[in-house]
Amino acid sequence: MSLLAAFRRCSLATPLPSQHLLTSSITRQTRLATKFAPTYVRHPRVHKGRVPIPTGGSIKGTTLNHGEYGIRIRGDGMRITAKQLQAAETVMKRKLKVIKGVKIWMRVFPDMPVCVKGNETRMGKGKGSFEYWACWVPTGRVLFEIAGEPGGAELRPEMAREALRLAADKLPVTVDFIDKSACHRLGNLDIPRPAEMAGKSSLTGGPPTLGFLYVLHTPKYSARSRDETPSIGRLGNIKSALASKSLKA
């Protein structure tokens, strides 16, 4: 075997380190082409899923945590795609670019892969190929928050309302304009916030102190009998629990 043939055989069997770096960089660049997609998923195909319902009385993610103004889902929950969220964020940035230092927070993230099969395809032979990223959002979930830079230009409520209205036009759900004084939301129920938490963030405002908030988060009761304690396992029972609480008060 000649020296040239041996060199060609060695080069084909073991690629150079530069080829490894080139391949990995191209793969990484293609994978992170958009920020509206997860970096890594354990399962490339998942079930379709349903709209999550807070059957245990959770009010997490229903108020503002970072910004001064935001939009919250008012109608029924729905599956929102990454393109819809990206279009909403783009139109907000375009509207608020005249104000220096404005920040935008997206409270949901499309991490669920949606697979689609072609039309007039026979049954079987797998789930289908990947099409786009999406996420399920329930009723009362905050989607976007905006705020001005501390010590900088002030973000007026009129400008914030107009920017969020343009973002809402890009979304397939009905939303409400909220601020820091907005109440918690449990399905279609508005849960008032304590007086000491009015206008504060849910992360730093401290634990709730109202009695019915404690009832919503306490599945069992030991001080009262079972007959006097309303069941709060479902949303309808939570509504009856709040009604009985107001009548007793």
Side-chain angles (χ1 to χ4, degrees), residues 53-72:
I53 300 177
T55 56
S58 175
I59 54 177
K60 181 179 179 181
T62 58
T63 54
L64 301 179
N65 289 338
H66 309 285
E68 300 175 357
Y69 309 99
I71 52 177
R72 182 173 60 186

Side-chain angles (χ1 to χ4, degrees), residues 8-246:
R8 289 179 178 176
R9 184 176 182 181
C10 180
S11 61
L12 292 176
T14 57
L16 298 177
S18 60
Q19 297 179 1
H20 284 292
L21 295 177
L22 181 61
T23 305
S24 60
S25 63
I26 292 176
T27 305
R28 188 179 299 111
Q29 183 179 1
T30 304
R31 189 64 184 85
L32 300 180
T34 172
K35 67 175 184 178
F36 292 88
T39 305
Y40 169 78
V41 289
R42 178 171 297 180
H43 304 288
R45 293 177 176 83
V46 297
H47 291 270
K48 181 179 180 180
R50 295 293 184 271
V51 179
I53 300 177
T55 56
S58 175
I59 54 177
K60 181 179 179 181
T62 58
T63 54
L64 301 179
N65 289 338
H66 309 285
E68 300 175 357
Y69 309 99
I71 52 177
R72 182 173 60 186
I73 296 181
R74 180 180 61 184
D76 297 335
M78 193 175 295
R79 189 173 69 181
I80 300 181
T81 64
K83 288 186 177 180
Q84 294 169 348
L85 294 173
Q86 186 176 10
E89 186 187 41
T90 301
V91 73
M92 278 194 297
K93 288 182 177 180
R94 190 176 301 159
K95 181 67 177 180
L96 299 174
K97 67 180 181 179
V98 296
I99 304 177
K100 184 178 180 180
V102 174
K103 296 182 180 180
I104 300 177
W105 290 271
M106 187 174 65
R107 296 287 301 275
V108 296
F109 185 76
D111 57 350
M112 182 184 68
V114 178
C115 301
V116 177
K117 297 187 71 173
N119 297 330
E120 300 181 2
T121 304
R122 293 180 179 271
M123 297 177 62
K125 298 184 180 179
K127 181 178 177 63
S129 59
F130 169 79
E131 189 70 17
Y132 56 88
W133 298 99
C135 62
W136 288 101
V137 287
T139 303
R141 179 63 58 86
V142 177
L143 296 178
F144 288 98
E145 300 182 17
I146 57 177
E149 184 180 6
E154 180 183 2
L155 178 60
R156 296 180 300 172
E158 297 81 7
M159 180 67 72
R161 184 182 295 272
E162 180 64 19
L164 293 172
R165 184 193 65 82
L166 295 175
D169 293 340
K170 304 296 182 180
L171 300 174
V173 292
T174 306
V175 298
D176 284 333
F177 176 81
I178 61 173
D179 54 8
K180 288 186 177 181
S181 62
C183 302
H184 289 280
R185 200 74 184 268
L186 180 59
N188 293 324
L189 301 176
D190 288 332
I191 302 178
R193 308 180 72 178
E196 59 272 14
M197 290 183 62
K200 297 182 180 180
S201 172
S202 299
L203 295 178
T204 59
T209 57
L210 291 185
F212 61 84
L213 288 181
Y214 176 76
V215 170
L216 289 176
H217 288 82
T218 308
K220 296 182 180 179
Y221 303 87
S222 58
R224 295 183 293 181
S225 62
R226 185 179 299 272
D227 298 334
E228 298 177 357
T229 303
S231 174
I232 60 171
R234 300 291 177 182
L235 288 177
N237 296 330
I238 293 175
K239 186 182 295 185
S240 62
L242 291 177
S244 62
K245 192 71 178 181
S246 60

